Amino acid sequence: MRGGPGGPGRVFLEALRLDLEALDDVRRRADAALLLDVGGFILFGGDETVAARLVEELRGHVTRRLWIAADLERGAGQQFAGLTTLPPPAGLAAHPEAVNAVREAGRCTGREARAVGVNLVLAPVLDLDIQALNPIVGTRSFGPDPERVSELGTGWIAACQAEGVAACAKHFPGHGRTTSDSHAELPVVGATREELAGDVYPFRAVAGDVAAMLTAHVSYPAMGGDRPATLEPAILSGLLREELCFEGLVVTDALNMGAVQKSFVGMRGSPDPAVAALRAGCDLLLYPSDLGAAVEAVERAADASEEITRRLDEALTRSDRVAERFPGARARRRATASVLAADAAAALALAVECVQEVGPVPTWLSPREPVSVTAIWDDREEPYRQPLGTAFRSELTAAGWRVTLPTPAPSPATASILLVASTPQAWKGTAWLTGTGRAAVEGALSRERTYPVILGHRRLLESFGLPGACAWGTEPQMERAAARKLHELVRRRGATA
């Protein structure tokens, strides 16, 4: 079936996976979605020129506005090869001038998002980093303090939206207390409403400015109901709309995630998550498991219910109104090669300042002596477009270090740098090292004269009880930043010796 003009299809954003599918397959999926009159798309992966050309094709097929969304918490380069990657929020918060750093990151993200045609940036994360066992937040957060997160989030949002694209704060009302992954199951937070006030605080702080908020697939019984917040009117229509006075778009997290899908298992009548989310107060429904079935379910519900018809009209009206605030919702602004080169250079300089040292750099670590670099990848997803350690080794070599490859039986006298990549990832299931990763790391650290560099959270480094460096993220940009910072620390140590 097809949705009519302004029909139920307009509340959906279909996923286009340039990271997983061939371009022709992506185009076929997009064509099918446009026949259903979708409100837009969420893009994953691909080269920036391919993604930009695809967006132009999509907009050329329709005369109306399309939302083009992407997860860009770590800059536009997080999704699109050729654009700039940035430190994750925890890294930006570690910068000695964090307020300026987040504004620079927000500007760069918004400018490059618009260059590729993205007009809805699904960032920043405003969840608090208050649970060390949380497998999905960690370095994605600006930190544990509500006021600090509010300050940094507000700055990021203002800078990004000043570039003409909409920002989307997530995951309302806060994903920071969870100890399970909502991609796989429904987390339940047993905190009281008073305890949750701090979690909500950053969202309250940005409610008057941010274009959109993305919902958490997390249950908060103290806030009303046992289902995910995405499906709870008391949380969305009550807390978010009435108490926080938020007038922007409410966007669901992906509807294909386990937390939502499992909420409907065994329920009589097999209700559709999309209908429940719309009824609860959501305006844009992201990444359904089956777009055609979801559109049809909303259409049937609207035919049978004045409430759903009213909510559908509200959602579409609000979507148009928010889009009018942002020129990027209508037009792409190309970025020249010189602009991208300047962005990359500025981002690297910023990233270097985000790298933190824990304890003094050991005296045996020197550019004048041979040093091997061992890399351990402990994340679920594949290394970020090139083997882990490549950028780190290249940067040290360029700085004059005598970098060697690790050997099966290295001499105890040989200095070693251990790179450990471990970040929050969907379906990984742990905030710490996996069993295999921990065994590998412990084996490597059992050697004397081994200096750890963590591409992940600082608390993981601190758990080793050794001097080391924390570089927060796994992108090559963060590897380069870690190498530059290490060289700087060693040079500074020599100057003061």
Side-chain angles (χ1 to χ4, degrees):
M1 52 80 61
R2 299 187 184 187
R10 294 280 182 94
V11 296
F12 289 94
L13 299 187
E14 174 67 310
L16 299 181
R17 304 292 310 233
L18 288 165
D19 57 338
L20 298 177
E21 298 180 345
L23 181 58
D24 286 345
D25 293 332
V26 169
R27 285 192 173 108
R28 281 190 285 270
R29 179 182 290 272
D31 288 343
L34 290 173
L35 287 174
L36 293 171
D37 201 36
V38 290
F41 299 90
I42 175 171
L43 302 185
F44 293 89
D47 180 85
E48 61 98 3
T49 57
V50 173
R53 188 162 57 247
L54 175 63
V55 172
E56 288 185 343
E57 291 174 7
L58 296 173
R59 289 195 166 126
H61 289 317
V62 296
T63 56
R64 56 187 172 82
R65 178 262 310 142
L66 287 175
W67 284 113
I68 306 295
D71 282 303
L72 305 180
E73 298 166 21
R74 304 187 304 278
Q78 176 182 341
Q79 294 295 342
F80 309 114
L83 297 182
T84 304
T85 57
L86 294 158
L92 295 173
H95 193 285
E97 297 182 12
V99 173
N100 290 335
V102 297
R103 288 185 177 275
E104 184 175 341
R107 280 192 294 271
C108 179
T109 302
R111 181 169 58 248
E112 293 193 2
R114 188 168 176 184
V116 81
V118 169
N119 52 32
L120 177 57
V121 175
L122 302 180
V125 168
L126 296 187
D127 305 320
L128 304 182
D129 182 22
I130 52 178
Q131 170 54 265
L133 297 179
N134 192 318
I136 204 64
V137 176
T139 55
R140 300 170 68 195
S141 167
F142 287 117
D145 180 63
E147 292 189 3
R148 181 65 164 167
V149 171
S150 299
E151 178 185 31
L152 299 181
T154 297
W156 195 100
I157 289 165
C160 178
Q161 294 190 160
E163 297 296 327
V165 301
C168 180
K170 59 188 185 184
H171 308 76
F172 181 82
H175 212 310
R177 295 179 185 270
T178 60
T179 56
S180 57
D181 181 3
S182 53
H183 293 84
E185 58 186 294
L186 175 62
V188 178
V189 171
T192 66
R193 196 176 183 95
E194 290 73 24
E195 290 170 329
L196 291 168
D199 303 53
V200 175
Y201 186 93
F203 297 96
R204 186 186 300 273
V206 305
D209 300 310
V210 72
M213 290 201 197
L214 186 141
T215 61
H217 292 338
V218 177
S219 172
Y220 310 85
M223 289 185 171
D226 298 323
R227 296 194 298 174
T230 303
L231 310 179
E232 289 293 353
I235 295 176
L236 301 186
S237 298
L239 175 60
L240 183 55
R241 291 292 187 204
E242 296 175 14
E243 185 176 328
L244 272 61
C245 301
F246 179 62
E247 297 182 356
L249 286 172
V250 177
V251 184
T252 72
D253 208 341
L255 292 177
N256 66 347
M257 290 167 58
V260 167
Q261 294 296 321
K262 292 179 180 180
S263 297
F264 290 85
V265 173
M267 292 184 66
R268 182 176 299 176
S270 300
D272 191 279
V275 176
L278 186 64
R279 178 181 282 115
C282 295
D283 303 307
L284 283 180
L285 312 180
L286 185 65
Y287 203 166
S289 297
D290 183 329
L291 176 64
V295 171
E296 190 170 357
V298 170
E299 185 172 52
R300 286 198 310 269
D303 289 341
S305 167
E306 291 185 4
E307 177 193 10
I308 298 299
T309 299
R310 183 176 64 255
R311 275 292 306 123
L312 186 60
D313 289 342
E314 289 173 352
L316 295 174
T317 299
R318 186 174 290 116
S319 184
D320 287 339
R321 186 177 70 241
V322 172
E324 286 302 311
R325 290 175 52 194
F326 299 99
R330 297 184 296 276
R332 172 189 170 206
R333 180 187 290 159
R334 291 177 173 83
T336 64
S338 60
V339 167
L340 294 178
D343 282 349
L348 180 56
L350 182 150
V352 171
E353 292 302 310
C354 293
V355 177
Q356 291 188 317
E357 67 272 26
V358 174
V361 178
T363 56
W364 45 258
L365 201 57
S366 168
R368 295 184 296 274
E369 301 296 330
V371 59
S372 68
V373 177
T374 300
I376 295 176
W377 182 266
D378 192 52
D379 279 348
R380 179 178 176 273
E381 297 174 3
E382 291 300 312
Y384 200 86
R385 300 183 183 132
Q386 65 183 35
L388 180 68
T390 303
F392 186 86
R393 293 187 185 97
S394 296
E395 198 70 32
L396 279 187
T397 300
W401 287 59
R402 297 173 60 190
V403 179
T404 66
L405 293 175
T407 59
S411 165
T414 302
S416 175
I417 297 173
L418 175 65
L419 289 183
V420 181
S422 182
T423 58
Q425 290 193 334
W427 294 285
K428 183 179 176 182
T430 180
W432 297 87
L433 293 170
T434 63
T436 302
R438 178 160 293 279
V441 170
E442 289 176 350
L445 291 179
S446 67
R447 289 187 58 247
E448 295 182 8
R449 294 162 64 95
T450 298
Y451 183 80
V453 175
I454 301 303
L455 306 176
H457 205 289
R458 177 176 170 137
R459 58 176 163 251
L460 176 58
L461 173 60
E462 292 172 340
S463 74
F464 298 156
L466 297 170
C470 174
W472 305 105
T474 59
E475 289 85 357
Q477 183 88 309
M478 298 312 299
E479 288 188 43
R480 285 190 285 271
R484 289 195 179 192
K485 186 60 172 280
L486 180 58
H487 181 67
E488 174 186 311
L489 292 172
V490 170
R491 188 175 55 190
R492 189 186 308 161
R493 182 197 65 198
T496 58

